[in-house]
Amino acid sequence: MLTQDRPQVRYVTAGAGDDGQRIDNFLLKQLPGVPKSHVYQLVRSGQVRVNGGRVKAERKLASGDEVRIPPVRAADKAQIARPPDAVLNVLRAAIVHEDEHYLAIAKPAGLAAHAGSGVPYGVIEAVRAWNKYEFIELVHRLDRDTSGVLLLAKSRPALLRGQKALKNSEAEKRYFALLLGKWRGEDRDVDAALVKRSLPGDRRVQVDEEDGKPSKSRFSPQSRYRDATLCEVQIFTGRTHQIRVHALALGHPVAGDTKYGEREDNKPLRELGLKRMFLHSHFLKFNAEGEFGKLIVNAPLPDELRAVLDKLPRADKARR
């Protein structure tokens, strides 16, 4: 449903919380319900102006900039999905760290980090619906089916500090992943470039040393079972589906992964109660920098994953 009121040109002054934000991201917040493709078309056509001049989508705002926002018919606010109260309460209970700069949530599996195509809301929309924070943004993302530490920033400087640390491999991120098959030896590094491929009705990530982006993961076995291995995985880059594709490249896909794994291989684990992908972000660390102190966040392995491990037959130690 669309609003019937005729939209008008708006002039919005960027505040201190907008300092350093890209104009495209600023517009997406100012125009809820407007498709991203239309927002970018408005910028490309010159209808969006900053201080009277045309800009590109990557232009960063400074506090005090005047932004011209053209007339746009947005979806009626009443029709924009509000996360259910049950979701808001689940996320309140999932807070694992909060300080003046950051909020960290142990994201449940099955909940997206943000809204998108076919996804009416995610963690960021739910947290904003608390109406508690003047500024709140995702520092990074997790796959919808991955659980664990998801960090949100409570100021633009905190956001930029976190994004910089992740981009420059200055942060430490560790996951627990149950991998199918018997693991031979100890730690194994995977240094394989990854690229996104769009297939009919599907989008996947593949190893491609020629066209892919550099990607590195370290797999360290923690517990060995008869037909699976629990590994801690440290990622040195943050590519889409990185752990899942690197695990597949090792010949040990992540348990419960319906995109990169084989359904038949996962059947024994489904019979033991595994109803999701066994991938959990359990540790995040930022070193101290400037006004920001050292940040360490932990998220325990969820009960539903621990229950699966308790049922798995252990490997014969003599045959390791």
Short mmCIF file of all heavy atoms in Angstrom, two decimals, residues 74-131:
data_model
loop_
_atom_site.label_atom_id
_atom_site.label_comp_id
_atom_site.label_asym_id
_atom_site.label_seq_id
_atom_site.Cartn_x
_atom_site.Cartn_y
_atom_site.Cartn_z
N ALA A 74 7.14 6.47 -0.63
CA ALA A 74 7.60 5.32 0.15
C ALA A 74 6.41 4.48 0.57
O ALA A 74 5.28 4.94 0.56
CB ALA A 74 8.37 5.80 1.38
N ALA A 75 6.70 3.25 0.94
CA ALA A 75 5.64 2.40 1.48
C ALA A 75 5.09 3.04 2.74
O ALA A 75 5.82 3.69 3.50
CB ALA A 75 6.20 1.01 1.79
N ASP A 76 3.78 2.92 2.95
CA ASP A 76 3.15 3.45 4.15
C ASP A 76 3.85 2.87 5.36
O ASP A 76 4.04 1.66 5.48
CB ASP A 76 1.68 3.05 4.15
CG ASP A 76 0.88 3.77 5.23
OD1 ASP A 76 1.47 4.06 6.28
OD2 ASP A 76 -0.31 4.02 5.00
N LYS A 77 4.22 3.71 6.31
CA LYS A 77 4.94 3.24 7.49
C LYS A 77 4.16 2.17 8.23
O LYS A 77 4.73 1.29 8.87
CB LYS A 77 5.26 4.41 8.41
CG LYS A 77 6.35 5.32 7.88
CD LYS A 77 6.75 6.35 8.91
CE LYS A 77 7.91 7.21 8.39
NZ LYS A 77 8.33 8.22 9.39
N ALA A 78 2.84 2.26 8.16
CA ALA A 78 2.03 1.25 8.84
C ALA A 78 2.20 -0.12 8.22
O ALA A 78 1.91 -1.14 8.84
CB ALA A 78 0.56 1.66 8.81
N GLN A 79 2.67 -0.14 6.94
CA GLN A 79 2.82 -1.41 6.24
C GLN A 79 4.24 -1.96 6.36
O GLN A 79 4.51 -3.07 5.92
CB GLN A 79 2.47 -1.24 4.76
CG GLN A 79 1.03 -0.77 4.53
CD GLN A 79 0.02 -1.74 5.08
OE1 GLN A 79 0.13 -2.94 4.85
NE2 GLN A 79 -0.96 -1.24 5.80
N ILE A 80 5.17 -1.18 6.90
CA ILE A 80 6.54 -1.65 7.08
C ILE A 80 6.58 -2.57 8.29
O ILE A 80 6.13 -2.21 9.37
CB ILE A 80 7.50 -0.46 7.27
CG1 ILE A 80 7.49 0.42 6.01
CG2 ILE A 80 8.91 -0.95 7.55
CD1 ILE A 80 8.27 1.69 6.15
N ALA A 81 7.09 -3.77 8.10
CA ALA A 81 7.02 -4.79 9.14
C ALA A 81 7.73 -4.36 10.41
O ALA A 81 8.88 -3.91 10.37
CB ALA A 81 7.63 -6.09 8.62
N ARG A 82 7.04 -4.47 11.52
CA ARG A 82 7.65 -4.24 12.83
C ARG A 82 7.93 -5.61 13.42
O ARG A 82 7.04 -6.47 13.44
CB ARG A 82 6.72 -3.46 13.74
CG ARG A 82 7.31 -3.22 15.14
CD ARG A 82 6.30 -2.54 16.05
NE ARG A 82 6.89 -2.23 17.34
CZ ARG A 82 6.98 -3.08 18.36
NH1 ARG A 82 6.53 -4.34 18.20
NH2 ARG A 82 7.52 -2.72 19.50
N PRO A 83 9.13 -5.85 13.89
CA PRO A 83 9.43 -7.15 14.48
C PRO A 83 8.46 -7.46 15.63
O PRO A 83 8.12 -6.57 16.41
CB PRO A 83 10.87 -6.99 14.99
CG PRO A 83 11.44 -5.90 14.15
CD PRO A 83 10.31 -4.96 13.89
N PRO A 84 8.01 -8.69 15.75
CA PRO A 84 7.10 -9.06 16.84
C PRO A 84 7.75 -8.83 18.21
O PRO A 84 8.97 -8.90 18.35
CB PRO A 84 6.84 -10.55 16.60
CG PRO A 84 7.20 -10.78 15.17
CD PRO A 84 8.30 -9.81 14.85
N ASP A 85 6.93 -8.58 19.20
CA ASP A 85 7.43 -8.37 20.56
C ASP A 85 8.24 -9.57 21.04
O ASP A 85 9.22 -9.41 21.78
CB ASP A 85 6.27 -8.11 21.52
CG ASP A 85 5.64 -6.74 21.32
OD1 ASP A 85 6.31 -5.87 20.73
OD2 ASP A 85 4.50 -6.53 21.76
N ALA A 86 7.85 -10.77 20.62
CA ALA A 86 8.59 -11.97 21.04
C ALA A 86 10.03 -11.91 20.57
O ALA A 86 10.96 -12.30 21.30
CB ALA A 86 7.90 -13.22 20.51
N VAL A 87 10.24 -11.42 19.34
CA VAL A 87 11.60 -11.30 18.81
C VAL A 87 12.38 -10.23 19.57
O VAL A 87 13.56 -10.41 19.91
CB VAL A 87 11.57 -10.97 17.30
CG1 VAL A 87 12.97 -10.67 16.78
CG2 VAL A 87 10.95 -12.13 16.52
N LEU A 88 11.72 -9.11 19.85
CA LEU A 88 12.38 -8.04 20.60
C LEU A 88 12.84 -8.55 21.96
O LEU A 88 13.95 -8.24 22.42
CB LEU A 88 11.43 -6.85 20.80
CG LEU A 88 10.81 -6.22 19.54
CD1 LEU A 88 10.08 -4.94 19.91
CD2 LEU A 88 11.87 -5.92 18.50
N ASN A 89 12.00 -9.35 22.61
CA ASN A 89 12.34 -9.86 23.93
C ASN A 89 13.44 -10.91 23.88
O ASN A 89 14.31 -10.97 24.76
CB ASN A 89 11.09 -10.44 24.61
CG ASN A 89 10.08 -9.36 24.94
OD1 ASN A 89 10.45 -8.19 25.14
ND2 ASN A 89 8.81 -9.72 25.00
N VAL A 90 13.42 -11.75 22.83
CA VAL A 90 14.47 -12.76 22.68
C VAL A 90 15.83 -12.09 22.54
O VAL A 90 16.83 -12.51 23.14
CB VAL A 90 14.19 -13.66 21.45
CG1 VAL A 90 15.44 -14.43 21.03
CG2 VAL A 90 13.06 -14.63 21.76
N LEU A 91 15.89 -11.01 21.77
CA LEU A 91 17.16 -10.32 21.55
C LEU A 91 17.60 -9.55 22.79
O LEU A 91 18.80 -9.45 23.07
CB LEU A 91 17.05 -9.38 20.35
CG LEU A 91 16.93 -10.11 19.00
CD1 LEU A 91 16.80 -9.11 17.87
CD2 LEU A 91 18.12 -11.03 18.76
N ARG A 92 16.67 -9.03 23.55
CA ARG A 92 17.05 -8.38 24.81
C ARG A 92 17.74 -9.39 25.73
O ARG A 92 18.73 -9.09 26.40
CB ARG A 92 15.81 -7.81 25.52
CG ARG A 92 15.24 -6.54 24.89
CD ARG A 92 14.19 -5.92 25.79
NE ARG A 92 13.56 -4.77 25.16
CZ ARG A 92 12.38 -4.79 24.55
NH1 ARG A 92 11.70 -5.95 24.48
NH2 ARG A 92 11.87 -3.71 24.01
N ALA A 93 17.19 -10.60 25.76
CA ALA A 93 17.76 -11.65 26.60
C ALA A 93 19.07 -12.20 26.04
O ALA A 93 19.82 -12.87 26.77
CB ALA A 93 16.75 -12.80 26.76
N ALA A 94 19.36 -11.90 24.77
CA ALA A 94 20.56 -12.44 24.11
C ALA A 94 21.74 -11.48 24.16
O ALA A 94 22.78 -11.75 23.56
CB ALA A 94 20.24 -12.78 22.66
N ILE A 95 21.61 -10.36 24.86
CA ILE A 95 22.73 -9.42 24.98
C ILE A 95 23.85 -10.07 25.78
O ILE A 95 23.63 -10.55 26.90
CB ILE A 95 22.29 -8.11 25.67
CG1 ILE A 95 21.28 -7.36 24.80
CG2 ILE A 95 23.49 -7.21 25.96
CD1 ILE A 95 20.66 -6.14 25.47
N VAL A 96 25.04 -10.12 25.22
CA VAL A 96 26.19 -10.72 25.91
C VAL A 96 27.23 -9.67 26.31
O VAL A 96 28.15 -9.96 27.07
CB VAL A 96 26.86 -11.82 25.05
CG1 VAL A 96 25.95 -13.03 24.95
CG2 VAL A 96 27.22 -11.30 23.66
N HIS A 97 27.08 -8.45 25.80
CA HIS A 97 28.00 -7.37 26.19
C HIS A 97 27.38 -6.03 25.81
O HIS A 97 26.76 -5.90 24.75
CB HIS A 97 29.35 -7.51 25.47
CG HIS A 97 30.28 -6.36 25.73
ND1 HIS A 97 31.11 -6.31 26.83
CD2 HIS A 97 30.49 -5.19 25.04
CE1 HIS A 97 31.81 -5.17 26.79
NE2 HIS A 97 31.44 -4.49 25.74
N GLU A 98 27.57 -5.04 26.68
CA GLU A 98 27.17 -3.68 26.34
C GLU A 98 28.05 -2.71 27.11
O GLU A 98 28.29 -2.87 28.31
CB GLU A 98 25.70 -3.42 26.65
CG GLU A 98 25.25 -2.03 26.20
CD GLU A 98 23.75 -1.83 26.19
OE1 GLU A 98 23.02 -2.71 26.72
OE2 GLU A 98 23.30 -0.80 25.65
N ASP A 99 28.56 -1.71 26.40
CA ASP A 99 29.30 -0.63 27.03
C ASP A 99 28.91 0.67 26.33
O ASP A 99 27.94 0.71 25.58
CB ASP A 99 30.82 -0.88 26.99
CG ASP A 99 31.36 -1.04 25.56
OD1 ASP A 99 30.81 -0.39 24.64
OD2 ASP A 99 32.34 -1.78 25.36
N GLU A 100 29.64 1.74 26.59
CA GLU A 100 29.26 3.03 26.01
C GLU A 100 29.40 3.07 24.49
O GLU A 100 28.79 3.90 23.82
CB GLU A 100 30.11 4.15 26.63
CG GLU A 100 31.61 4.00 26.36
CD GLU A 100 32.41 5.12 26.99
OE1 GLU A 100 32.02 6.29 26.82
OE2 GLU A 100 33.43 4.81 27.65
N HIS A 101 30.19 2.16 23.94
CA HIS A 101 30.46 2.18 22.50
C HIS A 101 29.72 1.09 21.72
O HIS A 101 29.37 1.29 20.55
CB HIS A 101 31.95 2.03 22.24
CG HIS A 101 32.79 3.08 22.88
ND1 HIS A 101 32.68 4.42 22.56
CD2 HIS A 101 33.76 2.99 23.84
CE1 HIS A 101 33.55 5.12 23.27
NE2 HIS A 101 34.21 4.28 24.05
N TYR A 102 29.55 -0.09 22.33
CA TYR A 102 29.07 -1.24 21.58
C TYR A 102 27.98 -2.02 22.31
O TYR A 102 27.89 -2.01 23.54
CB TYR A 102 30.22 -2.21 21.28
CG TYR A 102 31.29 -1.62 20.39
CD1 TYR A 102 32.51 -1.18 20.90
CD2 TYR A 102 31.08 -1.49 19.01
CE1 TYR A 102 33.48 -0.63 20.08
CE2 TYR A 102 32.04 -0.95 18.19
CZ TYR A 102 33.24 -0.51 18.72
OH TYR A 102 34.19 0.03 17.90
N LEU A 103 27.19 -2.71 21.50
CA LEU A 103 26.20 -3.67 21.97
C LEU A 103 26.48 -4.98 21.23
O LEU A 103 26.60 -4.98 20.00
CB LEU A 103 24.78 -3.18 21.64
CG LEU A 103 23.64 -4.17 21.89
CD1 LEU A 103 23.41 -4.34 23.39
CD2 LEU A 103 22.36 -3.69 21.21
N ALA A 104 26.61 -6.07 21.96
CA ALA A 104 26.86 -7.37 21.34
C ALA A 104 25.73 -8.32 21.69
O ALA A 104 25.33 -8.43 22.86
CB ALA A 104 28.20 -7.94 21.79
N ILE A 105 25.21 -8.99 20.69
CA ILE A 105 24.09 -9.92 20.84
C ILE A 105 24.51 -11.30 20.36
O ILE A 105 25.20 -11.43 19.34
CB ILE A 105 22.88 -9.41 20.04
CG1 ILE A 105 22.28 -8.18 20.72
CG2 ILE A 105 21.82 -10.49 19.86
CD1 ILE A 105 21.16 -7.53 19.96
N ALA A 106 24.10 -12.33 21.10
CA ALA A 106 24.28 -13.70 20.64
C ALA A 106 23.11 -14.00 19.71
O ALA A 106 22.04 -14.44 20.16
CB ALA A 106 24.32 -14.66 21.82
N LYS A 107 23.30 -13.74 18.43
CA LYS A 107 22.21 -13.88 17.46
C LYS A 107 21.76 -15.34 17.35
O LYS A 107 22.58 -16.23 17.18
CB LYS A 107 22.67 -13.40 16.08
CG LYS A 107 21.55 -13.38 15.05
CD LYS A 107 22.07 -13.07 13.65
CE LYS A 107 22.67 -14.28 12.96
NZ LYS A 107 21.66 -15.34 12.67
N PRO A 108 20.45 -15.57 17.43
CA PRO A 108 19.96 -16.94 17.22
C PRO A 108 20.06 -17.32 15.75
O PRO A 108 19.95 -16.47 14.87
CB PRO A 108 18.49 -16.86 17.67
CG PRO A 108 18.32 -15.53 18.34
CD PRO A 108 19.37 -14.63 17.77
N ALA A 109 20.23 -18.60 15.48
CA ALA A 109 20.18 -19.09 14.09
C ALA A 109 18.76 -18.91 13.57
O ALA A 109 17.79 -19.03 14.31
CB ALA A 109 20.58 -20.56 14.04
N GLY A 110 18.65 -18.59 12.28
CA GLY A 110 17.35 -18.42 11.66
C GLY A 110 16.89 -16.98 11.60
O GLY A 110 15.92 -16.67 10.90
N LEU A 111 17.58 -16.08 12.31
CA LEU A 111 17.24 -14.66 12.30
C LEU A 111 18.31 -13.92 11.52
O LEU A 111 19.51 -14.04 11.82
CB LEU A 111 17.14 -14.11 13.71
CG LEU A 111 16.74 -12.64 13.86
CD1 LEU A 111 15.35 -12.40 13.29
CD2 LEU A 111 16.79 -12.22 15.32
N ALA A 112 17.90 -13.16 10.50
CA ALA A 112 18.86 -12.41 9.69
C ALA A 112 19.45 -11.25 10.48
O ALA A 112 18.86 -10.77 11.44
CB ALA A 112 18.18 -11.89 8.43
N ALA A 113 20.62 -10.79 10.05
CA ALA A 113 21.22 -9.62 10.68
C ALA A 113 20.45 -8.36 10.33
O ALA A 113 20.33 -7.43 11.13
CB ALA A 113 22.68 -9.48 10.27
N HIS A 114 19.88 -8.33 9.12
CA HIS A 114 19.13 -7.16 8.68
C HIS A 114 18.06 -7.58 7.68
O HIS A 114 18.10 -8.69 7.13
CB HIS A 114 20.05 -6.12 8.05
CG HIS A 114 20.84 -6.64 6.88
ND1 HIS A 114 20.32 -6.71 5.61
CD2 HIS A 114 22.10 -7.16 6.80
CE1 HIS A 114 21.23 -7.24 4.79
NE2 HIS A 114 22.31 -7.52 5.48
N ALA A 115 17.11 -6.71 7.43
CA ALA A 115 16.05 -6.99 6.47
C ALA A 115 16.64 -7.05 5.06
O ALA A 115 17.69 -6.48 4.78
CB ALA A 115 14.98 -5.91 6.55
N GLY A 116 15.94 -7.73 4.18
CA GLY A 116 16.39 -7.82 2.79
C GLY A 116 15.27 -8.39 1.94
O GLY A 116 14.11 -8.44 2.37
N SER A 117 15.62 -8.86 0.77
CA SER A 117 14.63 -9.42 -0.14
C SER A 117 13.94 -10.62 0.50
O SER A 117 14.57 -11.63 0.81
CB SER A 117 15.32 -9.85 -1.44
OG SER A 117 14.39 -10.44 -2.32
N GLY A 118 12.63 -10.50 0.72
CA GLY A 118 11.88 -11.58 1.33
C GLY A 118 12.08 -11.71 2.83
O GLY A 118 11.53 -12.62 3.46
N VAL A 119 12.88 -10.83 3.42
CA VAL A 119 13.14 -10.86 4.86
C VAL A 119 12.66 -9.54 5.44
O VAL A 119 13.30 -8.50 5.27
CB VAL A 119 14.65 -11.05 5.15
CG1 VAL A 119 14.90 -11.09 6.66
CG2 VAL A 119 15.16 -12.32 4.49
N PRO A 120 11.51 -9.51 6.11
CA PRO A 120 10.91 -8.24 6.54
C PRO A 120 11.66 -7.52 7.64
O PRO A 120 11.54 -6.30 7.79
CB PRO A 120 9.51 -8.65 7.01
CG PRO A 120 9.64 -10.10 7.39
CD PRO A 120 10.65 -10.67 6.43
N TYR A 121 12.41 -8.25 8.45
CA TYR A 121 13.17 -7.60 9.53
C TYR A 121 14.31 -8.52 9.96
O TYR A 121 14.32 -9.72 9.69
CB TYR A 121 12.26 -7.31 10.74
CG TYR A 121 11.63 -8.55 11.34
CD1 TYR A 121 12.33 -9.35 12.24
CD2 TYR A 121 10.34 -8.94 10.98
CE1 TYR A 121 11.75 -10.50 12.77
CE2 TYR A 121 9.76 -10.08 11.49
CZ TYR A 121 10.48 -10.86 12.40
OH TYR A 121 9.92 -12.00 12.91
N GLY A 122 15.29 -7.92 10.62
CA GLY A 122 16.42 -8.66 11.16
C GLY A 122 16.78 -8.08 12.51
O GLY A 122 16.02 -7.31 13.12
N VAL A 123 17.97 -8.41 12.97
CA VAL A 123 18.42 -7.96 14.30
C VAL A 123 18.44 -6.44 14.39
O VAL A 123 17.95 -5.86 15.36
CB VAL A 123 19.81 -8.54 14.62
CG1 VAL A 123 20.36 -7.91 15.90
CG2 VAL A 123 19.75 -10.05 14.77
N ILE A 124 18.99 -5.77 13.37
CA ILE A 124 19.13 -4.32 13.48
C ILE A 124 17.77 -3.64 13.55
O ILE A 124 17.58 -2.68 14.32
CB ILE A 124 19.99 -3.76 12.31
CG1 ILE A 124 20.27 -2.27 12.52
CG2 ILE A 124 19.36 -4.04 10.96
CD1 ILE A 124 21.06 -1.94 13.76
N GLU A 125 16.80 -4.12 12.79
CA GLU A 125 15.46 -3.53 12.84
C GLU A 125 14.82 -3.77 14.20
O GLU A 125 14.12 -2.90 14.74
CB GLU A 125 14.57 -4.11 11.74
CG GLU A 125 14.90 -3.62 10.33
CD GLU A 125 16.10 -4.33 9.72
OE1 GLU A 125 16.45 -5.43 10.18
OE2 GLU A 125 16.69 -3.78 8.76
N ALA A 126 15.06 -4.95 14.78
CA ALA A 126 14.50 -5.25 16.09
C ALA A 126 15.11 -4.37 17.18
O ALA A 126 14.41 -3.85 18.05
CB ALA A 126 14.72 -6.73 16.42
N VAL A 127 16.43 -4.20 17.13
CA VAL A 127 17.09 -3.37 18.14
C VAL A 127 16.62 -1.92 18.02
O VAL A 127 16.40 -1.23 19.03
CB VAL A 127 18.62 -3.48 18.01
CG1 VAL A 127 19.31 -2.47 18.93
CG2 VAL A 127 19.08 -4.89 18.35
N ARG A 128 16.46 -1.44 16.79
CA ARG A 128 15.95 -0.08 16.62
C ARG A 128 14.53 0.06 17.15
O ARG A 128 14.15 1.13 17.64
CB ARG A 128 16.02 0.31 15.14
CG ARG A 128 17.42 0.60 14.65
CD ARG A 128 17.47 0.82 13.15
NE ARG A 128 18.84 1.13 12.71
CZ ARG A 128 19.27 0.96 11.47
NH1 ARG A 128 18.45 0.48 10.54
NH2 ARG A 128 20.52 1.25 11.16
N ALA A 129 13.77 -1.03 17.08
CA ALA A 129 12.39 -0.99 17.57
C ALA A 129 12.32 -0.91 19.09
O ALA A 129 11.25 -0.62 19.64
CB ALA A 129 11.63 -2.22 17.07
N TRP A 130 13.44 -1.15 19.77
CA TRP A 130 13.47 -0.93 21.22
C TRP A 130 13.33 0.56 21.56
O TRP A 130 12.99 0.91 22.67
CB TRP A 130 14.78 -1.42 21.82
CG TRP A 130 15.02 -2.90 21.75
CD1 TRP A 130 14.12 -3.88 21.45
CD2 TRP A 130 16.27 -3.57 21.98
NE1 TRP A 130 14.73 -5.11 21.48
CE2 TRP A 130 16.04 -4.95 21.81
CE3 TRP A 130 17.55 -3.13 22.32
CZ2 TRP A 130 17.05 -5.90 21.97
CZ3 TRP A 130 18.56 -4.08 22.48
CH2 TRP A 130 18.31 -5.45 22.30
N ASN A 131 13.67 1.42 20.55
CA ASN A 131 13.64 2.87 20.76
C ASN A 131 14.49 3.30 21.96
O ASN A 131 14.12 4.17 22.74
CB ASN A 131 12.19 3.36 20.95
CG ASN A 131 11.36 3.18 19.71
OD1 ASN A 131 11.83 3.43 18.60
ND2 ASN A 131 10.12 2.73 19.88
#
